[in-house]
Amino acid sequence: MSDWPEGRNGGPGERYGRGSASPRPESARAMPHVRRRPAPPQSPPHIPPQQGPGYEDCPGYDSGYNTGQVYGGGGQRGGGHGGGRGGDSGYVQPRPAPNWGRRLKVGVLSLVVVVLAVSVGTYFWADGKLKREVDLSKVIDRPSEGDGTNYLVVGSDSREGMTAEDKKKLHTGSAEGKRTDSMMILHDGSNGPTLISLPRDSNVEIPSFVGSESGKKFAGTGRQVKLNAAYAEDGPELLVRTVEFNTGLRIDHYVEIGFGGFAKIVDAIGGVEMDIPKAFKDKNSGADFQAGKQTLNGEQSLAFVRTRYAFAGSDLDRTKNQQKFLAALASQTATPSTILNPFKLYPTMGAGLDTLIVDKDMSLWSLGNMFFAMKGVTGGEGTSMNIPLTGQSVNGNLVWDKAKVKQLVEQLKNDEKVTVKGS
């Protein structure tokens, strides 16, 4: 009699199992199916795990063996595989927000560097063009310094650099050498600029002086001559010495421009607008103007400031026109359309600096101050006048009113508001 319980003996219908004495081999058991989570669409094809005897025979057992399926996308950039379940394999970390504050600082700093570089380059370029040819240290017995800055502004009839065609076009003639065609004192002070014209026919005394070339001292003899004769005799240094001796006002800087440079500056800025109150014509200067507002080019501008024979007041009327024109030129040049436009600024500066002759101590800063002081005259911030006169001398020269000139000079030296009226 068998001791095995029902179903465990070796009778018919019994199942073969462990420890069975039956000569037949045990049949394979069905492996319980473990449901796995479906792979994401981008996952590689399923690779079934290898089967083997052991614990896998137990119902409900999950070995945890990784078959190579990707259950979740990792946080790696560039599509790398991660080990988390339920992730998105296409996930990319977002870029950080742009630092606009830092970008703005970098942009502003870059702009400042560029502006500084251009400014420094322009300064050295312009400074190299200045012709510092007048040595005021050669002027002797000078008046004491006063407040403010005094410039002697001279327009000469120099034809240097002009072709025969230029001379004919500008009606300058072909005389050798150069003479002063206009002379003005520009005082720049705290009470506004003052522009004083010195007529070329002014009667003055040539004082003692030291020759600019020879270094020889010439004693004063009391000679009475026209003011422009001083320049013709020994150049800018004697002209400064003569102006200082006859006025008592110290000249701090000297600025001179010739015919050709004057016309080039006007053309470089596109002309100068003038309001001419009365039509006039002069064959000597080439002037031919109608009354009213009009824009003068370089050729016309030169004719305008040189005309004297068409006016009853001759040289006095000419000096008034010169003042009016120079103030308008400065005012219309110092505009944003010129200063901020390099295609206009550099040609204008080049045209002016190429022909300017200044003293050895003149800096670009001082020259700029003179320019804006000139502009201030026409802007209503200053005064323009002829030097006070009493009439004409026996030789036809214009005689200064010494009492008024002395009062005017005292006001300029003390940088006071000018109350003296000119001629």
Side-chain angles (χ1 to χ4, degrees):
M1 184 174 180
S2 175
D3 294 332
W4 292 98
E6 184 180 359
R8 303 291 286 184
N9 55 23
E14 68 180 2
R15 297 181 63 187
Y16 290 92
R18 290 186 181 92
S20 172
S22 173
R24 292 184 298 174
E26 182 182 41
S27 60
R29 292 171 181 254
M31 187 69 182
H33 178 71
V34 178
R35 183 181 298 275
R36 295 183 181 275
R37 184 167 301 186
Q42 293 84 0
S43 301
H46 174 66
I47 303 176
Q50 296 180 354
Q51 298 290 338
Y55 292 107
E56 288 85 348
D57 294 338
C58 299
Y61 177 78
D62 184 1
S63 67
Y65 182 82
N66 190 339
T67 65
Q69 294 175 336
V70 179
Y71 294 98
Q76 299 177 358
R77 299 178 65 178
H81 300 299
R85 295 176 180 266
D88 182 4
S89 61
Y91 175 76
V92 178
Q93 291 183 350
R95 293 183 179 180
N99 189 338
W100 291 109
R102 183 174 180 276
R103 291 187 181 185
L104 181 60
K105 291 179 181 178
V106 172
V108 171
L109 180 61
S110 300
L111 179 61
V112 170
V113 170
V114 170
V115 170
L116 285 176
V118 172
S119 300
V120 171
T122 300
Y123 177 88
F124 284 105
W125 168 78
D127 189 72
K129 282 184 167 291
L130 277 181
K131 297 179 181 179
R132 296 182 173 93
E133 300 177 359
V134 180
D135 189 357
L136 295 183
S137 67
K138 295 179 179 180
V139 181
I140 62 173
D141 300 334
R142 309 194 68 187
S144 61
E145 294 183 358
D147 297 328
T149 304
N150 300 311
Y151 301 85
L152 182 60
V153 184
V154 175
S156 75
D157 63 359
S158 171
R159 297 155 179 84
E160 182 179 354
M162 296 175 63
T163 64
E165 183 179 352
D166 291 335
K167 295 175 183 178
K168 182 178 180 181
K169 178 181 178 182
L170 299 177
H171 300 272
T172 63
S174 300
E176 296 298 325
K178 58 181 181 178
R179 287 157 290 279
T180 52
D181 210 53
S182 61
M183 290 158 284
M184 304 178 189
I185 294 175
L186 175 64
H187 174 81
D188 185 21
S190 58
N191 281 290
T194 302
L195 185 61
I196 307 165
S197 286
L198 308 176
R200 56 181 286 178
D201 293 341
S202 297
N203 193 77
V204 294
E205 179 183 339
I206 297 293
S208 59
F209 67 96
V210 173
S212 58
E213 297 295 335
S214 65
K216 179 181 177 181
K217 185 172 182 179
F218 296 89
T221 60
R223 285 187 297 139
Q224 304 287 315
V225 298
K226 292 182 179 180
L227 181 58
N228 65 339
Y231 183 97
E233 186 172 332
D234 197 51
E237 287 84 0
L238 180 55
L239 177 61
V240 171
R241 167 71 173 133
T242 302
V243 170
E244 288 187 342
F245 177 81
N246 286 271
T247 62
L249 183 69
R250 186 184 182 96
I251 300 300
D252 299 299
H253 291 294
Y254 178 91
V255 181
E256 177 186 328
I257 187 169
F259 282 163
F262 183 83
K264 288 179 181 178
I265 293 175
V266 174
D267 287 334
I269 66 170
V272 175
E273 185 180 69
M274 294 292 297
D275 188 0
I276 300 177
K278 185 178 180 180
F280 64 91
K281 188 173 182 178
D282 179 20
K283 65 177 182 179
N284 293 292
S285 66
D288 187 2
F289 297 104
Q290 301 299 316
K293 288 186 177 181
Q294 50 204 286
T295 299
L296 311 185
N297 60 24
E299 178 185 349
Q300 293 170 323
S301 299
L302 188 58
F304 180 82
V305 299
R306 294 184 63 223
T307 298
R308 61 184 300 198
Y309 296 108
F311 307 126
S314 188
D315 202 38
L316 287 180
D317 286 339
R318 180 172 67 167
T319 56
K320 292 176 182 178
N321 281 342
Q322 290 171 346
Q323 289 181 349
K324 184 188 300 184
F325 183 86
L326 289 178
L329 174 62
S331 179
Q332 293 174 40
T333 302
T335 60
S337 63
T338 298
I339 296 176
L340 300 180
N341 183 356
F343 298 102
K344 200 171 183 180
L345 174 64
Y346 286 98
T348 301
M349 291 180 64
L353 296 173
D354 279 342
T355 55
L356 278 183
I357 296 175
V358 299
D359 64 272
K360 293 183 179 297
D361 294 327
M362 175 71 82
S363 67
L364 285 177
W365 178 260
S366 296
L367 189 62
N369 286 339
M370 185 204 78
F371 180 79
F372 282 100
M374 189 77 74
K375 177 184 177 183
V377 173
T378 190
E381 303 170 5
T383 303
S384 61
M385 58 188 290
N386 276 321
I387 198 163
L389 301 171
T390 58
Q392 292 183 333
S393 65
V394 292
N395 58 7
N397 297 340
L398 299 173
V399 179
W400 293 357
D401 187 326
K402 293 184 178 180
K404 287 186 176 182
V405 169
K406 183 178 180 180
Q407 183 184 359
L408 172 63
V409 169
E410 286 299 315
Q411 291 177 345
L412 294 178
K413 291 179 69 173
N414 298 324
D415 201 16
E416 300 172 352
K417 185 175 179 60
V418 173
T419 60
V420 178
K421 302 299 181 182
S423 299

Coordinates of all heavy atoms in Angstrom, one line a residue, residues 150-155 182-187 194-199 227 243 251 253 255 305 318-327 374 385-386:
N150 N 42.3 137.2 -25.4 CA 42.2 138.0 -26.6 C 42.9 137.4 -27.8 O 44.1 137.0 -27.7 CB 42.9 139.4 -26.3 CG 42.3 140.1 -25.1 OD1 41.1 140.3 -25.0 ND2 43.1 140.5 -24.1
Y151 N 42.2 137.3 -28.9 CA 42.7 136.7 -30.1 C 42.8 137.9 -31.1 O 41.9 138.7 -31.3 CB 41.7 135.7 -30.7 CG 41.4 134.5 -29.8 CD1 40.4 134.6 -28.8 CD2 42.2 133.3 -29.9 CE1 40.2 133.5 -28.0 CE2 41.9 132.2 -29.1 CZ 40.9 132.3 -28.1 OH 40.6 131.2 -27.3
L152 N 43.9 137.9 -31.9 CA 44.0 138.7 -33.0 C 43.7 137.9 -34.3 O 44.5 137.0 -34.6 CB 45.4 139.4 -33.1 CG 45.6 140.4 -34.3 CD1 44.6 141.5 -34.2 CD2 47.0 140.9 -34.3
V153 N 42.6 138.1 -34.9 CA 42.1 137.3 -36.0 C 42.4 138.1 -37.3 O 41.9 139.2 -37.5 CB 40.6 137.0 -35.9 CG1 40.2 136.1 -37.1 CG2 40.3 136.3 -34.6
V154 N 43.2 137.5 -38.2 CA 43.7 138.2 -39.4 C 43.3 137.4 -40.6 O 43.5 136.2 -40.7 CB 45.2 138.4 -39.3 CG1 45.7 139.0 -40.6 CG2 45.6 139.2 -38.1
G155 N 42.7 138.2 -41.6 CA 42.5 137.6 -42.9 C 43.5 138.2 -43.9 O 43.6 139.4 -44.0
S182 N 42.0 142.0 -43.5 CA 41.1 142.3 -42.4 C 41.8 142.0 -41.1 O 42.6 141.0 -41.0 CB 39.8 141.6 -42.5 OG 40.0 140.2 -42.5
M183 N 41.5 142.7 -40.0 CA 42.1 142.5 -38.7 C 41.0 142.7 -37.6 O 40.3 143.7 -37.7 CB 43.2 143.4 -38.4 CG 44.5 143.1 -39.3 SD 45.6 144.5 -39.5 CE 44.7 145.5 -40.7
M184 N 40.9 141.8 -36.7 CA 39.9 141.9 -35.6 C 40.4 141.4 -34.3 O 41.2 140.5 -34.3 CB 38.6 141.1 -36.0 CG 38.0 141.4 -37.3 SD 36.6 140.3 -37.6 CE 36.2 140.7 -39.3
I185 N 40.0 142.0 -33.2 CA 40.3 141.5 -31.9 C 39.0 140.9 -31.4 O 38.0 141.4 -31.4 CB 40.7 142.7 -31.0 CG1 42.0 143.3 -31.4 CG2 40.8 142.2 -29.5 CD1 42.4 144.5 -30.6
L186 N 39.2 139.6 -31.0 CA 38.1 138.9 -30.4 C 38.4 138.6 -28.9 O 39.4 137.9 -28.6 CB 37.9 137.5 -31.1 CG 36.8 136.6 -30.5 CD1 35.4 137.2 -30.6 CD2 36.8 135.2 -31.2
H187 N 37.6 139.2 -28.0 CA 37.8 139.0 -26.6 C 36.8 138.0 -26.1 O 35.5 138.1 -26.3 CB 37.6 140.3 -25.8 CG 37.6 140.2 -24.3 ND1 38.8 140.1 -23.6 CD2 36.6 140.1 -23.4 CE1 38.5 139.9 -22.3 NE2 37.2 139.9 -22.2
T194 N 33.3 139.7 -27.4 CA 33.3 141.0 -28.0 C 34.2 141.0 -29.3 O 35.4 140.6 -29.1 CB 33.8 142.1 -27.1 OG1 33.0 142.2 -25.9 CG2 33.7 143.5 -27.8
L195 N 33.7 141.4 -30.4 CA 34.4 141.3 -31.7 C 34.6 142.8 -32.1 O 33.7 143.5 -32.4 CB 33.7 140.5 -32.7 CG 34.4 140.3 -34.1 CD1 35.7 139.6 -33.9 CD2 33.5 139.6 -35.0
I196 N 35.9 143.2 -32.2 CA 36.3 144.6 -32.6 C 37.1 144.6 -33.8 O 38.2 144.0 -33.9 CB 37.1 145.2 -31.4 CG1 36.3 145.1 -30.1 CG2 37.4 146.7 -31.7 CD1 37.2 145.4 -28.9
S197 N 36.6 145.2 -34.9 CA 37.3 145.3 -36.1 C 38.3 146.5 -36.1 O 38.0 147.6 -35.6 CB 36.3 145.6 -37.3 OG 35.6 144.4 -37.6
L198 N 39.5 146.2 -36.6 CA 40.5 147.3 -36.8 C 40.7 147.6 -38.2 O 41.3 146.8 -39.0 CB 41.8 146.8 -36.2 CG 41.8 146.2 -34.8 CD1 43.1 145.7 -34.4 CD2 41.3 147.2 -33.8
P199 N 40.1 148.7 -38.7 CA 40.2 149.0 -40.2 C 41.7 149.0 -40.6 O 42.6 149.5 -39.9 CB 39.6 150.4 -40.3 CG 38.7 150.5 -39.1 CD 39.4 149.7 -38.0
L227 N 47.7 150.6 -40.6 CA 47.9 149.4 -39.7 C 48.4 148.3 -40.5 O 49.2 147.5 -40.1 CB 46.6 149.1 -39.0 CG 46.6 147.8 -38.1 CD1 47.7 148.0 -37.0 CD2 45.2 147.6 -37.5
V243 N 49.7 146.5 -32.6 CA 48.4 146.5 -32.0 C 48.4 146.7 -30.5 O 47.7 147.5 -29.9 CB 47.6 145.3 -32.4 CG1 46.3 145.2 -31.6 CG2 47.3 145.2 -33.9
I251 N 47.7 140.7 -26.5 CA 47.1 139.7 -27.4 C 47.7 138.3 -27.0 O 48.9 138.1 -26.9 CB 47.6 140.0 -28.9 CG1 47.1 141.3 -29.4 CG2 47.1 138.9 -29.8 CD1 45.5 141.5 -29.3
H253 N 46.6 135.2 -28.4 CA 46.7 134.3 -29.5 C 46.6 135.0 -30.9 O 45.8 135.9 -31.0 CB 45.7 133.1 -29.4 CG 46.0 132.2 -28.2 ND1 47.1 131.4 -28.1 CD2 45.3 132.0 -27.1 CE1 47.1 130.7 -27.0 NE2 46.0 131.0 -26.4
V255 N 45.7 134.3 -35.0 CA 45.1 133.3 -36.0 C 45.0 134.0 -37.3 O 44.4 135.1 -37.4 CB 43.7 132.9 -35.5 CG1 43.1 131.9 -36.5 CG2 43.7 132.2 -34.1
V305 N 33.3 139.6 -48.5 CA 34.1 140.2 -47.4 C 35.2 141.1 -47.9 O 35.8 141.8 -47.1 CB 34.7 139.0 -46.6 CG1 33.6 138.2 -45.9 CG2 35.6 138.2 -47.4
R318 N 33.1 147.7 -45.1 CA 33.6 146.4 -45.3 C 33.8 145.6 -44.0 O 33.5 144.4 -44.0 CB 34.9 146.5 -46.1 CG 35.5 145.1 -46.4 CD 36.7 145.1 -47.3 NE 37.9 145.7 -46.8 CZ 39.1 145.7 -47.3 NH1 39.2 145.0 -48.4 NH2 40.1 146.3 -46.8
T319 N 34.4 146.3 -43.0 CA 34.6 145.6 -41.8 C 33.3 145.1 -41.1 O 33.3 144.0 -40.5 CB 35.4 146.5 -40.8 OG1 34.6 147.7 -40.6 CG2 36.8 146.8 -41.3
K320 N 32.2 145.8 -41.3 CA 31.0 145.4 -40.8 C 30.5 144.2 -41.5 O 29.9 143.2 -40.9 CB 29.9 146.6 -40.9 CG 30.2 147.8 -40.0 CD 29.3 148.9 -40.2 CE 29.6 150.1 -39.4 NZ 28.7 151.2 -39.6
N321 N 30.7 144.1 -42.8 CA 30.3 142.9 -43.5 C 31.1 141.7 -43.2 O 30.6 140.6 -43.1 CB 30.4 143.2 -45.1 CG 29.2 144.0 -45.6 OD1 28.2 144.1 -45.0 ND2 29.4 144.6 -46.8
Q322 N 32.4 142.0 -42.9 CA 33.3 140.9 -42.5 C 32.8 140.3 -41.1 O 32.8 139.1 -41.0 CB 34.7 141.4 -42.4 CG 35.3 141.7 -43.7 CD 36.7 142.4 -43.6 OE1 37.1 142.9 -42.6 NE2 37.4 142.5 -44.7
Q323 N 32.5 141.2 -40.2 CA 32.0 140.7 -38.9 C 30.7 139.9 -39.1 O 30.6 138.8 -38.5 CB 31.7 141.9 -38.0 CG 33.0 142.6 -37.5 CD 32.6 143.8 -36.6 OE1 31.5 144.2 -36.5 NE2 33.6 144.3 -35.9
K324 N 29.8 140.4 -39.9 CA 28.6 139.7 -40.1 C 28.8 138.3 -40.7 O 28.1 137.4 -40.3 CB 27.7 140.6 -41.0 CG 26.2 140.0 -41.2 CD 25.5 140.8 -42.2 CE 25.3 142.3 -41.8 NZ 24.5 143.0 -42.8
F325 N 29.7 138.3 -41.7 CA 29.9 137.0 -42.4 C 30.6 136.0 -41.5 O 30.2 134.8 -41.4 CB 30.7 137.2 -43.6 CG 30.9 136.0 -44.4 CD1 29.9 135.6 -45.4 CD2 32.0 135.2 -44.2 CE1 30.0 134.4 -46.1 CE2 32.1 134.0 -44.9 CZ 31.2 133.6 -45.8
L326 N 31.6 136.4 -40.8 CA 32.4 135.5 -39.9 C 31.5 134.9 -38.8 O 31.6 133.7 -38.5 CB 33.6 136.1 -39.3 CG 34.7 136.5 -40.3 CD1 35.9 137.2 -39.6 CD2 35.2 135.2 -41.0
A327 N 30.6 135.7 -38.3 CA 29.7 135.3 -37.2 C 28.7 134.2 -37.8 O 28.4 133.2 -37.2 CB 29.0 136.4 -36.6
M374 N 33.2 133.2 -31.5 CA 32.8 133.9 -32.7 C 31.3 133.6 -33.0 O 30.6 134.5 -33.4 CB 33.7 133.4 -33.9 CG 33.4 134.2 -35.1 SD 34.2 135.8 -35.1 CE 36.0 135.4 -35.3
M385 N 31.6 145.4 -33.1 CA 31.8 146.9 -33.3 C 33.1 147.2 -34.0 O 34.0 146.3 -34.1 CB 31.8 147.6 -31.9 CG 33.0 147.0 -31.0 SD 32.9 147.7 -29.3 CE 33.4 149.4 -29.6
N386 N 33.2 148.3 -34.6 CA 34.4 148.9 -35.1 C 35.1 149.6 -33.9 O 34.4 150.1 -33.0 CB 34.2 149.8 -36.2 CG 34.0 149.1 -37.6 OD1 34.7 148.1 -37.8 ND2 33.1 149.6 -38.4

